Amino acid sequence: MRRFALTVGSLMAAGMLAFAVPGSAVAADGVLIVNGTAYEEPSGCYDSDRWPLSVSNYTDEVALVFSSPGCSGQVIELVNPGDETVSEFGASVYLH
């Protein structure tokens, strides 16, 4: 009986955990263009090795321009949906 109770308890805990943990990351709807490269349904960090950094945000989310690669350093600019920018100091772009 004790083994049965442990099994049922484990299954219930696993089931609750499955509903509590979010699924895969939700990408933005639209297209993000970083230095001429288009990313459909973007999500995450996009590095650039070219200067200046050109960003066209045709998504439904705000894009963050960072001063360092890997979306580190300071956020130096926000690119609202539908906006474009050329950043003299940007090195990477993050979109949730």
Side-chain angles (χ1 to χ4, degrees), residues 44-85:
C45 186
Y46 299 91
D47 285 339
S48 176
D49 57 357
R50 293 190 308 190
W51 177 84
L53 177 69
S54 171
V55 179
S56 299
N57 184 7
Y58 302 116
T59 71
D60 59 349
E61 300 284 338
V62 174
L64 307 175
V65 177
F66 283 84
S67 60
S68 300
C71 295
S72 61
Q74 295 180 336
V75 174
I76 58 173
E77 196 166 350
L78 303 176
V79 186
N80 290 313
D83 285 349
E84 300 176 351
T85 190

Side-chain angles (χ1 to χ4, degrees), residues 1-9:
M1 183 66 177
R2 182 174 180 186
R3 205 176 274 168
F4 176 74
L6 283 173
T7 302
V8 170

Side-chain angles (χ1 to χ4, degrees), residues 26-45:
V26 177
D29 288 329
V31 177
L32 178 70
I33 302 172
V34 179
N35 283 343
T37 302
Y39 301 96
E40 291 188 32
E41 309 298 321
S43 177
C45 186

